[in-house]
Amino acid sequence: MSLWGAETISNNRLSVTWDNGRYTVQVVGQGKAFASGISLNGRVGKAKASAVSDSEFGPGHGIVISYEDGSREEFQVFDQLPFVLCKATLTNPGAEAKIFNRVPLLKADLDLGQPPENLVTLGTGGLEPPDKNPGSYAWLAVAEPKSRTGVVGGWLTHERASGVVFTKVDGSRVNLEARGEYGRLKIDAGKSVETETFALGWFSDARLGLEAWADAVAKRMAIHLPPQPVVYCTWYDNVHGGSSDAASLAKLSAFASRELGPFGFSCVQIDDGWQLGDPKGNGPKKNFSGFNPKGPYPNGMKPTADAIQSGGLTAGLWLLPFGGSWNDPFFASHQDWFVRRESDGKPFDTAWGGTALDMTQPGARDFVSNEISQAVHQWGYHYLKLDGLSTGCGVKPQYVNTGWKEDNLGDGIFADPDKSNLDVFRSGLRMIRDTAGQDVFILGCCAAQNMRSYAGSFGLVNAMRTGPDNGGSWDGWFKSSPMFASRNNHLNGRIWWNDPDPIYVRTSISLESARCIASWNAIAGHMISLSDWLPDLPPERLDIIKRVIPGHHVTARPVDLFSSQPPRIWLATDDRAGHQRRDVIGLYNWDDSKRSMTVNADELELPPAEQYVAFDFWNNTILPPFSKSLTVPVVGRGCRVLAIRPLLARPFLLSTSRHVSQGILEVRNEEWNEETKTLSGTSSVVANDPYELRVVAMSPDKVWSVSEVQVLGLNGAANEPVKNDSENGLLRFGFKPAVSGDLTWRIGFKSEPGASQKH
């Protein structure tokens, strides 16, 4: 034990030293600290290093700094975690209970070897210089844009406090502050409470650091996500919008089941307009205990759910669970259900969000639980879109909220004074999950109404709307979907599925832009929802949807995350064990006019090769081989989606027609047999959907030709290709499968000496 002495702990990546009231954190082997700071208490403390153990992260080492009043600070490192963890113990040594609100946990001077003007911050508020960052909820990255080297900090737990992260510039250093905001955390006299845990780490690629933080949160919370659904939402429908109606929804459900079901479409969701409630209230009606008999579903909600399910689809329902209306006659005798304002004791009423239901009040909890139970277990809706979540935190909506904003957290008073805002919110959301059951898919909507419900929803919802309503037009979609979902990409598939709001392929949007909208969602791998009136879509528009569903479920990252807002270049890589590596790049031109876009093989971290070859999906053509970089023109508000592979001296599969991911989704395996000169594989295909294999056969000293093609369908019978064309070294093999399922294909080749085509 040492008093203001030195203690050091380390794992295989990081070391932490506490010396005379100051800490330093460095990467093992780098020789200098990337983060340093002083005790937040500013008092003399006793430091002791010892072994620690964590149920998720295994054995590790910790330094505890203890103070005379019983409070503590603690640093921990674990071999299975690329972060140093920081937490504290708050103590109330007084004779009366004390309320804590904003509690600083860690202040760090960062050293990335660059002046602040060469660095950027990325947080929930977007991409900003360090001195302009408004503050981020839950996580923050500070990085050098070109190399992507940076520091990532994020709150690992979110049970009682809404964790926020700030930066400012002090001379030649960027200062980072992690602060827990509780609203009202009551600590009784002589008692102690442990804070939430904050993680801090250095990464050669801060994108991977953000993913590592999200993985750590998922591990801590034991998050296991169900498969992504593909959903139709009634809200933005250009023919039958809002909540739609029973007859229209039956027609749409039957059409979607028949035309899109085989491609992965899975759910039809009814939005706002079906429920009871006083129409004079602010925002939507807020009584979900029953349906409006004079509304769009006069025979009730169950018959429509049954109709949706009869087509093999999941029925979905929108509701706003934590908001009521204090002046609605229905709630007249239940005024005790509402959160109260500290200032005047009146019901906590907010614009649009309504009057906050108090989830520490048994009557209010029973009311919400009964609404959920009825929707799921009596009516049959197994997909729930929960809107207005922030109302459950006892805070006002701040639409659109992404960076930190003052929201007077703590002004709401709950029936149980021992509960903080996040504690109450999470208990309410946990009750909804328990009532609905683990097999019900829960979509939170939406984080941007007030970001207190952002990290507060971690582990309790399956998906989250990452931004505001996107409105059904190019401009609305661009300002919402890629703008907000891109910065949250590291959460997608780890903590929840990002829901950027629907894609649109309606004819009021140009064909190029419709392809761009759909391709962005598909390549990024975020959840896809639809809100066009599907039965009236022209075939070429409906076909866009077929080419982007379902999700590919492989790693996708924005290449220019720290230099463009929103990013223009995305890369989806299939490097799963047992799969042939495939890289598909999406180039997105957010401008109104055409621009040339360049990608570099090194920046994309493609496998080393002398040359590469690419196939352009929407233009249905192969591009000439390239070496270090590729430059292509991209129309305004349009995209290019390219499958890229190293150019080999033997035939290989470059692209397919099933999905914009060009083989990532449906090709089970691909094998080349050098002895027999055969290329073979298995693809999952859709009945009556023409399927094309695009095989490259180029070599500087050989001419390849096809000797045989064999295809076996589900019944084991041989199927002949409907076409076998060659162009510029690309061979096309087309099939029209009679049934859905696995198609096993085998292509035999022979070669002759000579110069290959167009090489």
Side-chain angles (χ1 to χ4, degrees):
M1 181 179 293
S2 60
L3 181 63
W4 291 100
E7 294 279 11
T8 298
I9 57 174
S10 64
N11 60 10
N12 54 8
R13 183 181 178 92
L14 301 173
S15 67
V16 184
T17 297
W18 178 271
D19 189 6
N20 291 319
R22 185 174 184 84
Y23 73 88
T24 56
V25 186
Q26 68 180 59
V27 177
V28 173
Q30 277 197 352
K32 70 172 184 177
F34 67 84
S36 60
I38 61 173
S39 164
L40 291 176
N41 287 285
R43 296 171 292 167
V44 174
K46 295 181 178 180
K48 181 180 180 180
S50 63
V52 296
S53 182
D54 184 270
S55 59
E56 284 83 24
F57 305 126
H61 305 276
I63 299 175
V64 176
I65 304 95
S66 303
Y67 300 95
E68 291 183 354
D69 64 356
S71 60
R72 306 193 310 175
E73 296 178 62
E74 187 169 359
F75 297 92
Q76 295 179 336
V77 292
F78 299 90
D79 285 345
Q80 298 182 31
L81 199 64
F83 297 97
V84 54
L85 303 186
C86 317
K87 59 183 177 180
T89 299
L90 307 177
T91 300
N92 178 12
E96 297 181 355
K98 186 177 180 180
I99 302 297
F100 289 76
N101 187 350
R102 296 175 180 174
V103 179
L105 176 64
L106 181 78
K107 292 185 179 180
D109 294 329
L110 303 182
D111 184 358
L112 294 178
Q114 295 279 350
E117 58 267 27
N118 290 354
L119 303 175
V120 296
T121 63
L122 179 71
T124 56
L127 193 64
E128 296 288 351
D131 59 343
K132 297 292 192 298
N133 169 44
S136 178
Y137 297 87
W139 58 272
L140 184 74
V142 182
E144 194 281 314
K146 185 172 179 60
S147 68
R148 299 191 288 251
T149 299
V151 170
V152 171
W155 290 90
L156 199 61
T157 61
H158 315 271
E159 294 300 325
R160 290 181 172 178
S162 172
V164 291
V165 193
F166 299 90
T167 58
K168 65 179 181 179
V169 173
D170 183 8
S172 62
R173 295 288 180 89
V174 174
N175 303 135
L176 178 147
E177 178 187 347
R179 184 172 79 200
E181 298 188 341
Y182 292 86
R184 303 181 66 86
L185 175 65
K186 179 185 175 185
I187 303 181
D188 290 328
K191 300 295 183 180
S192 298
V193 170
E194 191 174 274
T195 67
E196 309 294 343
T197 301
F198 186 75
L200 187 72
W202 179 94
F203 298 87
S204 58
D205 187 335
R207 299 177 306 167
L208 305 187
L210 290 168
E211 292 173 11
W213 167 77
D215 285 334
V217 172
K219 191 169 186 179
R220 171 67 75 196
M221 294 187 169
I223 296 173
H224 302 285
L225 296 178
Q228 259 187 27
V230 179
V231 184
Y232 163 81
C233 168
T234 62
W235 185 246
Y236 307 96
D237 195 299
N238 46 332
V239 178
H240 298 285
S243 61
S244 191
D245 59 79
S248 299
L249 208 62
K251 179 179 179 180
L252 180 132
S253 298
F255 179 88
S257 175
R258 181 179 67 253
E259 296 294 330
L260 297 178
F263 292 85
F265 180 83
S266 59
C267 178
V268 173
Q269 176 246 311
I270 300 170
D271 219 278
D272 177 18
W274 61 269
Q275 71 274 23
L276 294 170
D278 187 349
K280 298 177 182 178
N282 69 79
K285 300 175 184 178
K286 298 182 179 68
N287 179 357
F288 302 92
S289 64
F291 65 94
N292 181 1
K294 297 181 179 180
Y297 301 93
N299 295 323
M301 306 309 294
K302 181 172 171 40
T304 294
D306 291 343
I308 294 171
Q309 292 170 348
S310 68
L313 305 175
T314 298
L317 193 64
W318 172 96
L319 63 158
L320 198 155
F322 298 130
S325 297
W326 70 272
N327 54 353
D328 185 331
F330 175 84
F331 291 102
S333 59
H334 301 298
Q335 296 296 297
D336 59 324
W337 288 0
F338 297 122
V339 176
R340 298 282 162 175
R341 292 189 180 278
E342 182 183 35
S343 56
D344 55 17
K346 292 182 179 180
F348 193 96
D349 196 50
T350 65
W352 192 88
T355 318
L357 290 165
D358 185 348
M359 290 297 99
T360 71
Q361 214 286 341
R365 284 183 71 88
D366 289 345
F367 175 67
V368 174
S369 178
N370 290 337
E371 288 180 324
I372 299 298
S373 181
Q374 176 177 252
V376 174
H377 303 298
Q378 296 180 35
W379 293 346
Y381 291 88
H382 289 84
Y383 173 101
L384 299 179
K385 179 180 177 181
L386 304 182
D387 211 343
L389 283 183
S390 60
T391 309
C393 299
V395 292
K396 62 183 180 181
Q398 299 191 99
Y399 196 71
V400 175
N401 173 206
T402 53
W404 185 87
K405 286 183 180 180
E406 176 60 70
D407 61 357
N408 298 319
L409 184 70
D411 187 36
I413 304 296
F414 302 102
D416 184 347
D418 293 333
K419 302 293 186 181
S420 69
N421 293 67
L422 262 287
D423 197 358
V424 173
F425 172 69
R426 287 185 64 80
S427 72
L429 203 50
R430 192 175 288 111
M431 178 265 294
I432 289 177
R433 165 57 73 195
D434 291 342
T435 301
Q438 293 300 316
D439 61 332
V440 171
F441 192 98
I442 294 181
L443 165 68
C445 182
C446 71
Q449 289 164 353
N450 185 309
M451 290 287 285
R452 301 299 182 182
S453 63
Y454 178 77
S457 296
F458 286 179
L460 297 173
V461 299
N462 305 119
M464 175 63 77
R465 268 276 303 281
T466 52
D469 289 4
N470 68 14
S473 67
W474 167 270
D475 289 335
W477 175 85
F478 169 69
K479 292 176 182 177
S480 172
S481 298
M483 190 69 72
F484 294 112
S486 295
R487 66 187 66 158
N488 288 292
N489 183 65
H490 54 286
L491 276 65
N492 188 53
R494 294 179 172 88
I495 291 177
W496 56 41
W497 296 114
N498 283 349
D499 172 23
D501 225 15
I503 65 170
Y504 303 98
V505 298
R506 57 190 56 170
T507 54
S508 59
I509 297 173
S510 73
L511 184 63
E512 288 283 358
S513 294
R515 287 173 171 172
C516 181
I517 289 171
S519 298
W520 179 85
N521 239 60
I523 298 303
H526 297 177
M527 195 172 119
I528 292 181
S529 59
L530 315 170
S531 202
D532 293 313
W533 179 246
L534 302 174
D536 287 352
L537 287 177
E540 72 272 12
R541 302 288 176 140
L542 192 64
D543 191 66
I544 295 175
I545 296 174
K546 294 176 180 179
R547 302 305 146 213
V548 300
I549 63 172
H552 54 58
H553 298 331
V554 300
T555 300
R557 297 186 182 106
V559 175
D560 52 342
L561 179 64
F562 299 113
S563 55
S564 298
Q565 185 172 233
R568 296 174 179 270
I569 305 173
W570 283 75
L571 178 67
T573 297
D574 185 358
D575 54 3
R576 294 171 292 177
H579 285 242
Q580 168 63 52
R581 172 164 174 162
R582 301 186 191 282
D583 294 285
V584 176
I585 186 168
L587 305 176
Y588 305 100
N589 181 5
W590 307 130
D591 302 336
D592 292 339
S593 57
K594 182 194 297 185
R595 66 180 292 162
S596 292
M597 298 186 68
T598 299
V599 292
N600 297 299
D602 290 344
E603 189 178 28
L604 296 176
E605 298 177 347
L606 296 175
E610 292 185 5
Q611 284 191 309
Y612 302 88
V613 66
F615 189 90
D616 185 331
F617 185 81
W618 292 117
N619 289 321
N620 193 22
T621 187
I622 191 171
L623 303 183
F626 66 97
S627 54
K628 295 181 179 180
S629 65
L630 173 67
T631 300
V632 295
V634 186
V635 300
R637 299 188 176 190
C639 72
R640 303 284 288 271
V641 180
L642 310 176
I644 300 178
R645 284 188 65 176
L647 184 59
L648 304 177
R650 50 85 171 173
F652 61 93
L653 180 66
L654 176 59
S655 170
T656 70
S657 61
R658 162 65 186 93
H659 191 270
V660 73
S661 62
Q662 303 186 68
I664 290 178
L665 176 73
E666 88 286 358
V667 177
R668 299 281 191 268
N669 57 69
E670 175 191 345
E671 296 180 2
W672 169 256
N673 187 311
E674 178 63 28
E675 182 177 350
T676 61
K677 299 293 189 293
T678 57
L679 183 68
S680 61
T682 301
S683 301
S684 179
V685 296
V686 178
N688 299 313
D689 182 47
Y691 182 65
E692 185 176 84
L693 301 171
R694 291 129 183 192
V695 176
V696 174
M698 297 183 189
S699 176
D701 57 357
K702 294 179 182 178
V703 175
W704 293 93
S705 59
V706 178
S707 59
E708 66 168 336
V709 179
Q710 184 180 31
V711 181
L712 298 178
L714 286 178
N715 58 6
N719 290 271
E720 291 297 324
V722 297
K723 62 179 179 178
N724 178 353
D725 299 330
S726 175
E727 55 178 290
N728 300 330
L730 182 76
L731 304 174
R732 297 176 183 261
F733 303 92
F735 313 91
K736 190 171 184 179
V739 294
S740 297
D742 286 348
L743 195 72
T744 300
W745 44 269
R746 181 179 179 275
I747 306 169
F749 290 89
K750 57 184 179 180
S751 63
E752 298 177 1
S756 179
Q757 313 96 303
K758 300 293 184 180
H759 185 212

